[in-house]
Coordinates of all heavy atoms in Angstrom, one line a residue:
M1 N 9.8 20.6 54.1 CA 10.1 20.8 55.5 C 11.1 21.9 55.6 O 12.1 21.8 54.9 CB 10.5 19.5 56.2 CG 10.6 19.6 57.7 SD 10.8 18.1 58.4 CE 12.5 17.9 58.5
A2 N 10.9 22.9 56.4 CA 11.9 23.9 56.6 C 13.2 23.4 57.3 O 13.1 22.6 58.2 CB 11.3 25.1 57.5
V3 N 14.3 23.9 56.8 CA 15.6 23.6 57.3 C 16.1 24.7 58.2 O 16.2 25.8 57.9 CB 16.7 23.3 56.2 CG1 18.0 23.0 56.8 CG2 16.2 22.2 55.3
P4 N 16.4 24.4 59.5 CA 16.9 25.5 60.4 C 18.2 26.0 59.9 O 19.0 25.3 59.3 CB 17.0 24.8 61.8 CG 17.0 23.3 61.5 CD 16.3 23.1 60.2
Y5 N 18.4 27.3 60.2 CA 19.6 28.0 59.6 C 20.9 27.2 60.0 O 21.9 27.2 59.3 CB 19.7 29.5 60.0 CG 20.1 29.7 61.4 CD1 21.4 29.8 61.8 CD2 19.2 29.8 62.4 CE1 21.8 29.9 63.0 CE2 19.5 30.0 63.7 CZ 20.8 30.1 64.0 OH 21.2 30.3 65.3
E6 N 21.0 26.7 61.2 CA 22.2 26.1 61.7 C 22.5 24.8 60.9 O 23.6 24.3 61.1 CB 22.2 25.9 63.2 CG 21.2 24.9 63.7 CD 19.8 25.6 64.1 OE1 19.6 26.7 63.5 OE2 19.1 25.1 64.9
K7 N 21.5 24.3 60.2 CA 21.8 23.0 59.5 C 22.2 23.3 58.1 O 22.6 22.4 57.3 CB 20.5 22.2 59.4 CG 19.9 21.8 60.7 CD 20.7 20.6 61.3 CE 20.0 20.1 62.5 NZ 20.9 19.2 63.2
I8 N 22.1 24.6 57.6 CA 22.6 24.9 56.2 C 24.1 24.9 56.2 O 24.7 25.4 57.1 CB 22.0 26.3 55.8 CG1 20.5 26.2 55.8 CG2 22.5 26.7 54.5 CD1 19.8 27.6 55.5
P9 N 24.7 24.3 55.2 CA 26.1 24.3 55.1 C 26.7 25.7 55.0 O 26.0 26.6 54.6 CB 26.4 23.6 53.7 CG 25.2 22.8 53.4 CD 24.0 23.6 54.0
F10 N 28.0 25.8 55.5 CA 28.6 27.2 55.7 C 28.6 27.9 54.4 O 28.4 29.1 54.3 CB 30.0 26.9 56.2 CG 30.7 28.2 56.5 CD1 30.3 29.0 57.6 CD2 31.7 28.7 55.7 CE1 30.9 30.2 57.8 CE2 32.3 29.9 55.9 CZ 31.9 30.7 57.1
A11 N 28.8 27.2 53.2 CA 28.9 27.9 51.9 C 27.5 27.9 51.3 O 27.4 28.0 50.1 CB 29.9 27.2 51.0
G12 N 26.5 28.0 52.1 CA 25.1 28.0 51.6 C 24.6 29.4 51.4 O 25.4 30.3 51.0
T13 N 23.4 29.7 51.7 CA 22.8 31.0 51.3 C 22.6 31.9 52.5 O 22.1 33.0 52.3 CB 21.5 30.7 50.6 OG1 20.6 29.9 51.5 CG2 21.6 30.0 49.3
V14 N 23.0 31.6 53.7 CA 22.9 32.4 54.8 C 24.0 33.4 54.9 O 25.2 32.9 55.0 CB 22.7 31.6 56.1 CG1 22.6 32.5 57.3 CG2 21.5 30.7 56.0
P15 N 23.8 34.7 54.9 CA 25.0 35.7 55.0 C 25.8 35.5 56.2 O 27.0 35.7 56.2 CB 24.3 37.0 54.9 CG 22.9 36.8 54.6 CD 22.5 35.4 54.9
S16 N 25.2 35.3 57.3 CA 26.0 35.2 58.6 C 25.6 33.9 59.4 O 25.0 33.9 60.3 CB 25.7 36.4 59.5 OG 26.2 37.5 58.8
P17 N 26.1 32.8 58.9 CA 25.8 31.5 59.6 C 26.5 31.6 61.0 O 27.5 32.2 61.2 CB 26.5 30.4 58.7 CG 27.5 31.1 57.9 CD 27.1 32.6 57.8
Q18 N 25.8 30.9 61.9 CA 26.3 30.9 63.3 C 27.4 30.0 63.6 O 28.0 30.1 64.7 CB 25.1 30.8 64.2 CG 24.0 31.8 64.0 CD 24.5 33.2 64.2 OE1 25.1 33.5 65.3 NE2 24.4 34.1 63.3
K19 N 27.7 29.1 62.7 CA 28.8 28.2 63.0 C 29.4 27.7 61.7 O 28.7 27.8 60.7 CB 28.3 27.0 63.9 CG 27.3 26.1 63.3 CD 27.0 25.0 64.2 CE 26.1 23.9 63.5 NZ 25.8 22.9 64.4
E20 N 30.6 27.2 61.8 CA 31.3 26.7 60.6 C 30.9 25.3 60.4 O 30.4 24.6 61.3 CB 32.8 26.9 60.8 CG 33.3 28.3 61.0 CD 34.8 28.4 61.1 OE1 35.4 27.4 60.8 OE2 35.2 29.5 61.3
N21 N 31.1 24.9 59.2 CA 30.8 23.5 58.8 C 32.1 22.9 58.2 O 32.6 23.2 57.2 CB 29.7 23.5 57.7 CG 29.3 22.1 57.4 OD1 30.1 21.1 57.5 ND2 28.1 21.9 56.9
E22 N 32.7 22.0 59.0 CA 34.0 21.4 58.6 C 33.9 20.6 57.2 O 34.8 20.3 56.6 CB 34.5 20.5 59.7 CG 34.9 21.2 61.0 CD 36.1 22.1 60.8 OE1 37.0 21.7 60.0 OE2 36.2 23.1 61.5
G23 N 32.7 20.2 57.0 CA 32.5 19.5 55.7 C 32.4 20.3 54.5 O 32.3 19.8 53.3
M24 N 32.4 21.7 54.7 CA 32.3 22.5 53.5 C 33.6 23.5 53.4 O 33.5 24.6 52.9 CB 31.0 23.4 53.6 CG 29.8 22.6 53.5 SD 29.6 21.8 51.9 CE 29.2 23.3 50.9
I25 N 34.7 23.0 53.8 CA 35.9 23.8 53.8 C 36.3 24.0 52.3 O 36.5 23.0 51.6 CB 37.1 23.2 54.6 CG1 36.8 23.3 56.0 CG2 38.4 23.8 54.3 CD1 37.7 22.6 56.9
T26 N 36.5 25.3 51.8 CA 36.7 25.6 50.5 C 38.1 26.3 50.3 O 38.5 26.6 49.2 CB 35.6 26.5 49.9 OG1 35.3 27.5 50.8 CG2 34.4 25.6 49.6
G27 N 38.8 26.5 51.4 CA 40.0 27.2 51.3 C 41.1 26.5 50.5 O 42.0 27.2 50.0
S28 N 41.0 25.2 50.5 CA 42.0 24.4 49.7 C 41.9 24.6 48.2 O 42.8 24.2 47.5 CB 41.9 22.9 50.1 OG 40.6 22.4 49.8
W29 N 40.8 25.2 47.8 CA 40.6 25.4 46.3 C 41.4 26.6 45.9 O 41.7 26.9 44.7 CB 39.2 25.8 46.0 CG 38.2 24.8 46.3 CD1 38.3 23.6 47.0 CD2 36.7 24.9 46.1 NE1 37.1 22.9 47.2 CE2 36.1 23.7 46.7 CE3 36.0 25.9 45.6 CZ2 34.7 23.5 46.6 CZ3 34.6 25.7 45.5 CH2 34.0 24.5 46.1
R30 N 41.9 27.5 46.9 CA 42.4 28.8 46.5 C 43.7 28.8 45.9 O 44.6 28.2 46.3 CB 42.4 29.6 47.8 CG 42.6 31.1 47.7 CD 42.6 31.8 49.0 NE 43.6 31.3 49.9 CZ 43.3 30.6 51.0 NH1 42.1 30.3 51.4 NH2 44.3 30.1 51.8
T31 N 43.8 29.6 44.8 CA 45.2 29.8 44.1 C 45.6 31.2 44.3 O 46.7 31.6 44.1 CB 45.1 29.5 42.6 OG1 44.2 30.3 42.0 CG2 44.8 28.0 42.4
R32 N 44.6 32.0 44.7 CA 44.9 33.5 45.0 C 44.3 33.9 46.4 O 43.2 33.4 46.6 CB 44.4 34.4 43.9 CG 44.9 34.1 42.5 CD 44.3 35.0 41.5 NE 42.8 34.9 41.5 CZ 42.0 35.8 41.1 NH1 42.4 36.9 40.5 NH2 40.7 35.6 41.2
R33 N 45.0 34.7 47.1 CA 44.6 35.1 48.4 C 44.2 36.6 48.5 O 45.0 37.4 48.0 CB 45.7 34.8 49.4 CG 45.3 35.1 50.9 CD 46.5 34.8 51.8 NE 47.0 33.5 51.7 CZ 47.9 33.0 52.6 NH1 48.3 33.8 53.6 NH2 48.4 31.8 52.4
P34 N 43.1 36.9 49.0 CA 42.7 38.3 49.1 C 43.5 39.0 50.2 O 43.6 38.5 51.3 CB 41.2 38.3 49.5 CG 41.0 37.0 50.2 CD 42.0 36.1 49.6
I35 N 44.0 40.2 49.9 CA 44.8 41.0 50.8 C 44.2 42.3 50.9 O 43.9 43.0 49.9 CB 46.3 41.1 50.4 CG1 47.0 39.7 50.3 CG2 47.0 42.0 51.3 CD1 47.1 39.0 51.7
L36 N 44.0 42.8 52.1 CA 43.4 44.1 52.3 C 44.4 45.2 52.4 O 45.4 45.1 53.1 CB 42.5 44.1 53.6 CG 41.9 45.4 54.0 CD1 40.8 45.9 53.0 CD2 41.5 45.4 55.4
D37 N 44.1 46.3 51.8 CA 44.9 47.6 52.0 C 44.1 48.4 52.9 O 43.1 49.1 52.5 CB 45.2 48.3 50.6 CG 45.9 49.6 50.8 OD1 46.0 50.1 52.0 OD2 46.5 50.1 49.8
A38 N 44.4 48.3 54.2 CA 43.5 49.0 55.2 C 43.5 50.5 55.0 O 42.6 51.2 55.5 CB 44.0 48.6 56.6
E39 N 44.5 51.0 54.4 CA 44.6 52.5 54.2 C 43.5 53.0 53.2 O 42.9 54.1 53.3 CB 45.9 52.9 53.7 CG 47.1 52.7 54.6 CD 47.0 53.6 55.8 OE1 46.8 54.8 55.6 OE2 47.2 53.1 57.0
K40 N 43.1 52.0 52.3 CA 42.1 52.4 51.3 C 40.7 52.1 51.8 O 39.7 52.7 51.3 CB 42.4 51.7 50.0 CG 43.5 52.1 49.1 CD 43.5 51.3 47.8 CE 44.7 51.7 46.9 NZ 44.7 50.8 45.8
C41 N 40.6 51.1 52.6 CA 39.2 50.6 53.0 C 38.4 51.7 53.7 O 38.9 52.5 54.6 CB 39.4 49.5 54.0 SG 37.8 48.8 54.6
V42 N 37.2 51.9 53.3 CA 36.3 52.9 53.8 C 35.2 52.2 54.8 O 34.2 52.8 55.1 CB 35.6 53.7 52.7 CG1 36.7 54.6 52.0 CG2 34.9 52.8 51.7
E43 N 35.4 50.9 55.0 CA 34.5 50.2 55.9 C 33.1 50.1 55.5 O 32.2 50.2 56.3 CB 34.7 50.6 57.3 CG 36.1 50.6 57.8 CD 36.3 51.1 59.3 OE1 35.3 51.2 60.0 OE2 37.5 51.4 59.5
C44 N 32.9 50.0 54.1 CA 31.5 50.0 53.6 C 30.8 48.7 53.8 O 29.6 48.6 53.6 CB 31.5 50.4 52.2 SG 32.3 49.2 51.1
Q45 N 31.5 47.6 54.0 CA 31.0 46.3 54.3 C 30.5 45.6 53.0 O 29.8 44.6 53.0 CB 30.0 46.2 55.4 CG 30.5 46.9 56.7 CD 29.5 46.8 57.8 OE1 28.4 46.4 57.6 NE2 29.9 47.3 58.9
T46 N 30.8 46.1 51.8 CA 30.4 45.6 50.6 C 31.0 44.2 50.3 O 30.3 43.2 49.9 CB 30.7 46.5 49.4 OG1 30.1 47.7 49.6 CG2 30.3 45.9 48.1
C47 N 32.2 44.0 50.8 CA 32.9 42.8 50.6 C 32.2 41.7 51.5 O 32.1 40.5 51.1 CB 34.4 42.9 50.9 SG 34.8 43.6 52.5
W48 N 31.8 42.1 52.7 CA 31.2 41.2 53.6 C 29.9 40.7 53.1 O 29.7 39.4 53.1 CB 31.0 42.0 54.9 CG 30.2 41.2 55.9 CD1 30.7 40.2 56.7 CD2 28.8 41.4 56.3 NE1 29.6 39.7 57.5 CE2 28.5 40.5 57.3 CE3 27.8 42.3 55.8 CZ2 27.2 40.4 57.9 CZ3 26.6 42.2 56.4 CH2 26.3 41.3 57.4
I49 N 29.1 41.5 52.5 CA 27.8 41.1 51.9 C 28.0 40.3 50.6 O 27.1 39.6 50.2 CB 26.9 42.3 51.8 CG1 25.4 41.8 51.8 CG2 27.2 43.2 50.6 CD1 24.8 41.4 53.0
S50 N 29.1 40.6 50.0 CA 29.3 40.0 48.6 C 29.9 38.6 48.7 O 29.7 37.8 47.7 CB 30.2 40.9 47.8 OG 29.6 42.1 47.7
C51 N 30.7 38.2 49.7 CA 31.4 37.0 49.6 C 30.4 35.8 49.7 O 29.6 35.6 50.6 CB 32.3 36.9 50.9 SG 33.1 35.3 51.0
P52 N 30.5 34.9 48.6 CA 29.6 33.8 48.5 C 29.8 32.8 49.6 O 29.0 31.9 49.8 CB 29.8 33.3 47.1 CG 31.2 33.7 46.7 CD 31.4 35.0 47.5
D53 N 31.0 32.8 50.2 CA 31.3 31.8 51.3 C 31.2 32.4 52.7 O 31.7 31.8 53.6 CB 32.6 31.1 51.0 CG 32.5 30.2 49.8 OD1 31.7 29.3 49.9 OD2 33.2 30.5 48.8
S54 N 30.8 33.6 52.8 CA 30.6 34.3 54.1 C 31.9 34.2 54.9 O 31.9 33.9 56.1 CB 29.5 33.6 54.9 OG 28.3 33.7 54.2
C55 N 33.0 34.5 54.2 CA 34.3 34.4 55.0 C 35.0 35.8 55.1 O 36.2 35.8 55.4 CB 35.2 33.3 54.4 SG 35.4 33.4 52.6
V56 N 34.3 36.8 55.0 CA 34.8 38.1 55.3 C 34.3 38.4 56.7 O 33.1 38.4 57.0 CB 34.4 39.3 54.4 CG1 34.9 40.6 54.8 CG2 34.9 39.0 52.9
N57 N 35.2 38.7 57.7 CA 34.8 39.1 59.0 C 35.1 40.5 59.2 O 36.0 41.1 58.7 CB 35.7 38.3 60.0 CG 35.6 36.8 59.9 OD1 34.6 36.2 59.7 ND2 36.7 36.1 59.8
L58 N 34.1 41.2 59.9 CA 34.2 42.6 60.1 C 34.9 43.0 61.4 O 34.7 42.3 62.5 CB 32.8 43.2 60.2 CG 32.0 43.0 58.9 CD1 30.5 43.5 59.1 CD2 32.6 43.7 57.7
M59 N 35.6 44.1 61.4 CA 36.0 44.9 62.5 C 36.7 44.1 63.6 O 36.2 43.7 64.7 CB 34.8 45.6 63.2 CG 34.1 46.5 62.3 SD 35.1 48.0 62.3 CE 34.1 49.0 61.2
T60 N 37.9 43.8 63.4 CA 38.8 43.3 64.5 C 39.5 44.5 65.1 O 39.4 45.6 64.5 CB 39.8 42.2 64.0 OG1 40.7 42.9 63.2 CG2 39.1 41.1 63.2
E61 N 40.2 44.3 66.2 CA 41.0 45.4 66.7 C 42.1 45.9 65.7 O 42.4 47.1 65.7 CB 41.7 45.0 68.0 CG 40.7 45.0 69.2 CD 41.5 44.7 70.5 OE1 42.7 44.8 70.5 OE2 40.8 44.4 71.5
D62 N 42.6 45.0 64.9 CA 43.7 45.3 64.1 C 43.4 45.7 62.7 O 44.2 46.3 62.0 CB 44.7 44.1 64.0 CG 45.2 43.8 65.4 OD1 45.4 44.7 66.2 OD2 45.4 42.5 65.6
S63 N 42.2 45.4 62.3 CA 41.8 45.6 60.9 C 40.3 45.7 60.7 O 39.6 45.1 61.4 CB 42.3 44.3 60.1 OG 42.0 44.5 58.7
P64 N 39.9 46.6 59.7 CA 38.4 46.8 59.5 C 37.8 45.5 59.0 O 36.6 45.3 59.2 CB 38.4 47.8 58.4 CG 39.7 48.0 57.9 CD 40.7 47.5 58.9
I65 N 38.5 44.7 58.2 CA 38.0 43.3 57.9 C 39.2 42.3 57.9 O 40.3 42.7 57.8 CB 37.4 43.3 56.4 CG1 38.4 43.6 55.4 CG2 36.2 44.3 56.4 CD1 38.0 43.2 54.0
T66 N 38.8 41.1 58.0 CA 39.8 40.0 57.9 C 39.1 38.9 57.0 O 37.9 38.9 56.9 CB 40.2 39.4 59.2 OG1 39.1 38.9 59.9 CG2 40.9 40.4 60.1
F67 N 39.9 38.0 56.5 CA 39.4 36.9 55.7 C 39.5 35.6 56.4 O 40.6 35.3 57.0 CB 40.1 36.8 54.3 CG 40.0 38.1 53.6 CD1 41.1 39.0 53.6 CD2 38.9 38.5 52.9 CE1 41.0 40.2 52.9 CE2 38.8 39.7 52.2 CZ 39.8 40.5 52.2
N68 N 38.5 34.7 56.4 CA 38.6 33.4 57.0 C 39.1 32.5 55.9 O 38.5 32.0 55.0 CB 37.2 32.9 57.5 CG 37.3 31.6 58.1 OD1 38.3 30.8 57.9 ND2 36.3 31.3 58.9
L69 N 40.5 32.3 56.0 CA 41.2 31.6 54.9 C 40.8 30.1 54.9 O 41.1 29.4 53.9 CB 42.7 31.8 55.0 CG 43.1 33.3 54.7 CD1 44.6 33.4 54.9 CD2 42.6 33.8 53.4
K70 N 40.2 29.6 55.9 CA 39.8 28.2 55.8 C 38.7 28.0 54.8 O 38.5 26.9 54.3 CB 39.2 27.8 57.3 CG 39.4 26.4 57.6 CD 39.4 26.2 59.1 CE 38.1 25.8 59.7 NZ 38.1 25.5 61.1
Y71 N 37.9 29.0 54.6 CA 36.8 28.9 53.7 C 36.9 29.8 52.4 O 36.3 29.5 51.4 CB 35.5 29.3 54.4 CG 35.2 28.3 55.4 CD1 35.5 28.6 56.8 CD2 34.5 27.1 55.2 CE1 35.3 27.6 57.8 CE2 34.2 26.2 56.2 CZ 34.6 26.5 57.5 OH 34.4 25.5 58.5
C72 N 37.8 30.8 52.5 CA 38.0 31.7 51.3 C 38.6 30.8 50.1 O 39.6 30.2 50.2 CB 38.9 32.8 51.6 SG 39.5 33.7 50.1
K73 N 37.9 30.8 49.0 CA 38.3 30.0 47.9 C 39.0 30.9 46.8 O 39.3 30.4 45.7 CB 37.2 29.2 47.2 CG 36.0 30.0 46.7 CD 34.9 29.1 46.3 CE 33.7 29.8 45.6 NZ 33.0 30.6 46.6
G74 N 39.2 32.1 47.1 CA 40.0 33.0 46.2 C 39.2 33.4 45.0 O 39.9 33.7 43.9
C75 N 37.9 33.4 45.0 CA 37.1 33.7 43.8 C 37.3 35.2 43.3 O 37.1 35.5 42.1 CB 35.7 33.5 44.1 SG 34.9 34.5 45.3
G76 N 37.6 36.0 44.2 CA 37.8 37.5 43.9 C 36.6 38.3 43.8 O 36.7 39.5 43.4
V77 N 35.4 37.8 44.2 CA 34.2 38.6 44.2 C 34.4 39.8 45.1 O 34.0 40.9 44.7 CB 33.0 37.7 44.6 CG1 31.8 38.7 44.8 CG2 32.7 36.7 43.5
C78 N 35.0 39.6 46.2 CA 35.1 40.8 47.2 C 36.0 41.9 46.5 O 35.7 43.1 46.7 CB 35.8 40.3 48.5 SG 37.4 39.4 48.2
A79 N 37.1 41.5 45.8 CA 37.9 42.5 45.2 C 37.2 43.2 44.1 O 37.3 44.4 43.9 CB 39.1 41.8 44.7
E80 N 36.4 42.5 43.3 CA 35.6 43.1 42.2 C 34.6 44.1 42.8 O 34.3 45.1 42.2 CB 34.9 42.0 41.4 CG 35.8 41.2 40.5 CD 36.3 42.1 39.3 OE1 35.5 42.9 38.8 OE2 37.5 41.9 39.0
E81 N 34.0 43.7 43.8 CA 32.9 44.6 44.4 C 33.3 45.7 45.2 O 32.6 46.7 45.5 CB 31.9 43.7 45.2 CG 31.2 42.6 44.4 CD 30.3 43.2 43.3 OE1 29.7 44.3 43.5 OE2 30.3 42.7 42.1
C82 N 34.5 45.7 45.8 CA 35.0 46.7 46.6 C 35.1 48.0 45.8 O 35.8 48.1 44.8 CB 36.5 46.4 47.1 SG 37.2 47.8 48.1
P83 N 34.4 49.1 46.3 CA 34.3 50.3 45.5 C 35.5 51.1 45.4 O 35.7 52.0 44.6 CB 33.2 51.1 46.2 CG 33.2 50.6 47.6 CD 33.6 49.1 47.5
V84 N 36.5 50.8 46.3 CA 37.7 51.7 46.3 C 39.0 50.9 46.0 O 40.1 51.3 46.2 CB 37.8 52.4 47.7 CG1 36.7 53.4 47.9 CG2 37.9 51.4 48.9
G85 N 38.8 49.6 45.6 CA 40.0 48.8 45.2 C 40.9 48.5 46.4 O 42.1 48.5 46.2
A86 N 40.3 48.2 47.5 CA 41.1 48.0 48.8 C 41.5 46.5 48.8 O 42.3 46.2 49.8 CB 40.3 48.4 50.0
I87 N 41.0 45.6 48.0 CA 41.3 44.2 48.1 C 42.1 43.8 46.8 O 41.7 44.1 45.7 CB 40.1 43.3 48.3 CG1 39.4 43.8 49.6 CG2 40.4 41.9 48.4 CD1 38.0 43.1 49.8
T88 N 43.2 43.1 47.0 CA 44.0 42.6 45.9 C 44.1 41.1 46.1 O 44.3 40.6 47.2 CB 45.4 43.2 45.9 OG1 45.3 44.6 45.9 CG2 46.2 42.8 44.7
L89 N 44.0 40.4 45.0 CA 44.2 38.9 45.0 C 45.7 38.6 44.6 O 46.2 39.0 43.6 CB 43.3 38.2 43.9 CG 41.9 37.8 44.4 CD1 41.9 36.7 45.4 CD2 41.1 39.0 44.9
V90 N 46.4 38.0 45.6 CA 47.8 37.7 45.4 C 48.0 36.2 45.3 O 47.3 35.4 46.0 CB 48.6 38.2 46.7 CG1 50.1 37.9 46.6 CG2 48.3 39.8 46.8
P91 N 48.8 35.8 44.4 CA 49.0 34.3 44.2 C 49.5 33.6 45.5 O 50.3 34.1 46.2 CB 50.2 34.2 43.1 CG 50.1 35.5 42.4 CD 49.6 36.5 43.4
E92 N 48.9 32.5 45.8 CA 49.2 31.7 47.0 C 50.7 31.4 47.1 O 51.3 31.3 48.1 CB 48.4 30.4 47.1 CG 47.0 30.6 47.6 CD 47.0 31.1 49.1 OE1 47.9 30.7 49.9 OE2 46.1 31.8 49.5
L93 N 51.3 31.2 45.9 CA 52.8 30.8 45.9 C 53.6 31.9 46.4 O 54.8 31.7 46.8 CB 53.2 30.5 44.4 CG 52.6 29.2 43.9 CD1 53.0 28.9 42.5 CD2 53.0 28.0 44.8
D94 N 53.1 33.1 46.6 CA 53.8 34.2 47.2 C 53.9 34.2 48.7 O 54.6 35.0 49.4 CB 53.2 35.6 46.8 CG 53.5 35.9 45.3 OD1 54.1 35.1 44.6 OD2 53.1 37.0 44.9
F95 N 53.1 33.2 49.3 CA 53.1 33.1 50.7 C 53.8 31.8 51.2 O 53.8 30.8 50.5 CB 51.6 33.1 51.2 CG 50.9 34.4 50.9 CD1 50.2 34.4 49.7 CD2 50.9 35.4 51.7 CE1 49.4 35.6 49.4 CE2 50.2 36.6 51.4 CZ 49.5 36.6 50.2
K96 N 54.3 31.8 52.4 CA 55.0 30.7 53.0 C 54.0 29.8 53.8 O 54.3 28.7 54.1 CB 56.2 31.1 53.8 CG 57.3 31.6 52.9 CD 58.6 31.8 53.6 CE 59.7 32.2 52.6 NZ 60.6 33.2 53.1
D97 N 52.9 30.4 54.3 CA 52.0 29.7 55.2 C 50.8 29.1 54.4 O 50.7 29.5 53.2 CB 51.5 30.6 56.3 CG 50.7 31.8 55.7 OD1 50.9 32.2 54.5 OD2 49.9 32.3 56.5
Ligands
SF4_1 S1 38.1 35.8 47.4 FE1 36.7 37.2 48.6 S2 34.6 36.8 47.9 FE2 35.9 35.1 47.3 S3 35.7 33.6 48.9 FE3 37.5 34.8 49.4 S4 36.8 36.5 50.7 FE4 35.0 35.5 49.7
SF4_2 S1 34.4 46.6 50.2 FE1 36.4 47.5 50.3 S2 36.1 49.5 51.3 FE2 34.3 48.2 51.7 S3 34.8 47.2 53.7 FE3 35.4 45.8 52.0 S4 37.6 46.2 51.7 FE4 36.7 48.0 52.9

């Protein structure tokens, strides 16, 4: 039986799920946090398509991308795939929040 997209867990296989799933929060796994260097970013969206947890958000007023830290598990795929090295993984212990 087909499963409607809205029933698939947030960390599933849909690139842009329409809603979050509180049962699939993966942010607490993270030991490193992705940080964007907006000066380097060329807005190619490779990080957005590459994130296995669909937690790269595109185009806010302040930044070409942002990370949904509730779900980002710090795997570093976005940083590896970024063609211009605009994403750096920084240890969580360096942050106060
Ligand atoms: S580190 Fe990057 S690829 Fe990995 S979950 Fe976080 S935003 Fe997604
Ligand atoms: S992959 Fe790199 S250059 Fe492309 S949008 Fe993401 S941060 Fe910017």
